[in-house]
Amino acid sequence: MRYLILIVVVINFLMIGCNRKKEKFNNYQIKNTSNEIENFNEFNIRFHTDSIFQLARVNFPIGGKSINGFKKHDWTLKNWEMMKNLVVETSQMKDYKHSLTKSDTLIVEKFWIPESGFEVERKFKRINNKWFLIYYNDVNL
């Protein structure tokens, strides 16, 4: 009986912690109080390793969709899956084609397998000197 009570307490504690994490990102303070232009490489690392920071830099709704077979949906806060793969200059994955287009205000990265129905495209845009994900298309037919 003591173990059952302990398990219930631990589960409740974890559930409360997870709910707080979802609420916290709205109030997440991004440290860029000056007009300094955010470095994309620093943003890239933080965006792909810090889930709260990532959510703060995606202003839903964004362009693009998730298409997996017959399942298709727009990206929302509720169905968002954290991105963990950094934007890279050249891909080490031999099976995929990769392209990267960069300017001072826009980064576009694409991965695809020719004639397979698989393609991922994401776009990051600098807005008010900070980088944001503005488009994510994840197609796997």
Side-chain angles (χ1 to χ4, degrees):
M1 183 70 170
R2 290 174 56 186
Y3 293 111
L4 180 60
I5 293 171
L6 179 62
I7 290 171
V8 169
V9 169
V10 169
I11 290 172
N12 284 332
F13 179 73
L14 290 173
M15 290 175 66
I16 290 169
C18 290
N19 286 337
R20 283 188 186 156
K21 187 175 182 180
K22 285 183 180 178
E23 294 169 2
K24 272 186 175 180
F25 87 90
N26 288 326
N27 298 322
Y28 195 77
Q29 297 298 317
I30 299 165
K31 296 178 183 178
N32 190 6
T33 55
S34 69
N35 287 333
E36 183 179 330
I37 296 173
E38 183 174 49
N39 177 285
F40 183 79
N41 292 332
E42 292 172 9
F43 161 81
N44 188 23
I45 292 168
R46 188 166 180 197
F47 183 85
H48 292 94
T49 58
D50 181 337
S51 62
I52 295 172
F53 181 80
Q54 186 171 112
L55 289 173
R57 295 302 185 91
V58 180
N59 293 328
F60 297 101
I62 62 170
K65 296 194 179 309
S66 172
I67 303 171
N68 191 356
F70 293 109
K71 296 179 183 178
K72 177 179 178 180
H73 62 78
D74 294 326
W75 293 111
T76 66
L77 176 60
K78 289 186 178 185
N79 65 22
W80 187 251
E81 299 169 9
M82 182 170 171
M83 290 183 173
K84 295 183 179 180
N85 295 325
L86 295 170
V87 174
V88 293
E89 293 286 334
T90 57
S91 174
Q92 301 300 319
M93 296 183 279
K94 302 292 183 206
D95 296 335
Y96 299 88
K97 299 285 185 182
H98 175 261
S99 71
L100 182 66
T101 306
K102 294 170 71 172
S103 75
D104 290 342
T105 58
L106 186 66
I107 307 285
V108 178
E109 183 179 46
K110 296 179 187 178
F111 285 93
W112 72 97
I113 300 174
E115 301 177 30
S116 72
F118 172 80
E119 177 183 316
V120 173
E121 179 178 7
R122 52 192 181 161
K123 297 178 184 178
F124 296 89
K125 183 175 183 179
R126 195 174 72 212
I127 303 170
N128 294 328
N129 294 329
K130 297 177 188 173
W131 289 98
F132 289 85
L133 178 71
I134 61 164
Y135 181 88
Y136 180 43
N137 207 41
D138 185 2
V139 179
N140 192 7
L141 299 176

